[in-house]
Amino acid sequence: MDVSVRYTQGNWVGKLGTDIVAIPKGPNGTITINVATILQSENFFLPRVNWQGILGLAYKMLARPDSSVEPFFDSLVRQTGIPDMFSLQMCGAGLSASSTSDPLGGGLVMGGIEPTLYKGSIWYTPIKEEWYYQVEVLKLEVGGQNLNLDCQEYNTDKAIVDSGTTLLRLPHNVFNAVVDAIITTSLIQQVSSDFWTGTTVACWMKGETQWRIFPKISIYLRGMNASQSFRITIMPQLYIQLVSGLDNSFECYRFGIASSTSGLVIGATVMEGFYVTFDRAQKKVGFAVSTCAEKSGSPLSEIGGPFLASDVSSNCAKTPAIQDPVPWIISYVLMGLCTFVLIILVIQLLVICRHESSLIHH
């Protein structure tokens, strides 16, 4: 069966089939899963990386060709009986994607939480809709200063947590506000405007990267108590990302935040600072400071809260159309009424025609 998948970043096409797999250090036995062979892709695999594919962990609403295809994690839960949750620790802050001397680390825990992978408490935000892991963003701060945008701006189209997206992606208006705030807050002079759009890199002498001139960025998420929020914060070492060195003297960096036309995406740029839990059974996503989110002994992420959410709307996230049954129900009712009226008109027309035909015959 042919299958094609489009993400917020890149796409691929291939063939869908099934296979039997075993998971080392996982549940005993084997499971049967749906799997696709990627035959062609565009902007999907990053240059100079050794990735071989992607493991989709979202809900079956996003399965392709349609939601009748059972995703991997649904198959795993159904066939093994493990709890319906998983958690991720993504490590690699300060390393380039093609690093081989110090390869990227991390872990995927299926069916639970591993306490040794995080520090402090786990802070939870509700899953708003079960397709992507959609959450509700209340506000953003740059260098401790609120952007003062309407909270619905942050949730334009949707706001999701997605480990398969490399960058922190922001709706256009939010992205521009963040860039303006970074430039204003840090008084950066020597960085080209093309750096912010991702078309060029910024380079410094080794050991002289200007971390101190870049501000920290905070994202406020709605708490499980709807009247409260909590804040996840990343330091510049997470969003000013090492790409490569020109030679032994310079190190070059890219901007780990990009403009988006498909909503706000909390991708790897942010997730590398946190241990993130996806509790599907309780419909919540959790964040805790990751044990690998530090560089030279300094933390690269923070969590704070709880804060009162009385200064924002009680509902900043709009329900996506594909999840809202009410318009469809109304449409079907109207279509049914129209069909009923049409049938009556046709019957009346047939009766009139027969009557006229009988008169002509006689």
Side-chain angles (χ1 to χ4, degrees):
M1 182 185 298
D2 293 331
V3 61
S4 61
V5 179
R6 181 173 296 276
Y7 302 93
T8 55
Q9 178 181 325
N11 63 85
W12 57 262
V13 297
K15 294 287 186 179
L16 179 68
T18 60
D19 204 349
I20 298 174
V21 300
I23 303 174
K25 300 182 181 179
N28 293 328
T30 59
I31 60 172
T32 302
I33 62 166
N34 292 301
V35 61
T37 299
I38 297 177
L39 301 178
Q40 184 179 354
S41 66
E42 182 180 359
N43 299 324
F44 180 65
F45 295 103
L46 296 178
R48 300 184 301 277
V49 298
N50 297 318
W51 300 344
Q52 295 176 315
I54 187 170
L55 177 62
L57 294 171
Y59 291 96
K60 65 190 307 179
M61 174 64 70
L62 299 181
R64 295 294 180 267
D66 55 60
S67 59
S68 67
V69 177
E70 186 176 61
F72 166 79
F73 197 72
D74 293 66
S75 298
L76 181 65
V77 171
R78 179 176 60 81
Q79 295 178 46
T80 66
I82 66 170
D84 192 8
M85 70 173 301
F86 64 92
S87 50
L88 282 170
Q89 184 194 52
M90 301 178 67
C91 303
L95 300 175
S96 66
S98 58
S99 174
T100 55
S101 59
D102 192 3
L104 308 184
L108 167 63
V109 181
M110 293 179 286
I113 295 171
E114 176 48 60
T116 62
L117 300 182
Y118 66 92
K119 303 174 184 177
S121 301
I122 300 177
W123 294 75
Y124 290 99
T125 186
I127 295 174
K128 294 289 292 183
E129 294 293 335
E130 296 172 293
W131 54 325
Y132 297 94
Y133 293 98
Q134 183 181 350
V135 296
E136 188 177 4
V137 175
L138 304 189
K139 64 179 179 179
L140 262 68
E141 290 179 347
V142 175
Q145 299 299 310
N146 188 353
L147 294 183
N148 288 319
L149 298 176
D150 187 305
C151 68
Q152 290 195 357
E153 291 264 19
Y154 304 120
N155 299 277
T156 299
D157 189 54
K158 60 184 176 294
I160 64 174
V161 182
D162 180 28
S163 61
T165 298
T166 307
L167 307 179
L168 168 60
R169 302 180 67 85
L170 303 173
H172 185 67
N173 290 344
V174 180
F175 174 78
N176 288 339
V178 167
V179 171
D180 289 344
I182 292 175
I183 294 173
T184 302
T185 303
S186 59
L187 300 176
I188 297 170
Q189 301 294 331
Q190 69 271 35
V191 176
S192 165
S193 60
D194 291 336
F195 172 73
W196 309 111
T197 60
T199 55
T200 190
V201 297
C203 300
W204 289 275
M205 292 284 292
K206 278 193 174 181
E208 296 185 3
T209 304
Q210 304 294 304
W211 302 124
R212 58 183 177 79
I213 68 174
F214 291 96
K216 59 186 180 181
I217 296 176
S218 300
I219 301 173
Y220 285 73
L221 298 167
R222 177 113 33 210
M224 297 304 292
N225 180 338
S227 65
Q228 296 180 338
S229 67
F230 65 93
R231 175 182 66 207
I232 58 176
T233 300
I234 59 172
M235 304 304 164
Q237 290 90 333
L238 286 174
Y239 69 85
I240 305 297
Q241 300 174 343
L242 179 65
V243 177
S244 62
L246 291 178
D247 51 38
N248 293 329
S249 302
F250 289 89
E251 289 180 331
C252 297
Y253 296 79
R254 70 174 180 181
F255 190 42
I257 305 174
S259 179
S260 169
T261 58
S262 54
L264 186 151
V265 186
I266 299 175
T269 290
V270 176
M271 292 182 68
E272 285 185 350
F274 302 95
Y275 180 67
V276 186
T277 69
F278 298 83
D279 190 337
R280 294 150 56 102
Q282 300 297 319
K283 297 183 180 180
K284 60 185 181 179
V285 176
F287 291 84
V289 173
S290 171
T291 54
C292 67
E294 61 177 44
K295 190 174 179 64
S296 302
S298 299
L300 302 181
S301 60
E302 299 172 347
I303 294 185
F307 305 102
L308 288 177
S310 56
D311 59 334
V312 297
S313 168
S314 60
N315 184 17
C316 298
K318 297 178 181 178
T319 303
I322 64 169
Q323 292 286 315
D324 188 0
V326 175
W328 290 106
I329 293 173
I330 294 173
S331 299
Y332 287 136
V333 170
L334 291 175
M335 289 172 62
L337 288 173
C338 290
T339 302
F340 179 74
V341 171
L342 182 61
I343 291 173
I344 292 175
L345 291 174
V346 170
I347 292 173
Q348 289 179 340
L349 183 63
L350 289 173
V351 170
I352 292 172
C353 288
R354 284 183 178 179
H355 180 67
E356 291 179 349
S357 176
S358 177
L359 289 174
I360 293 171
H361 176 74
H362 288 297

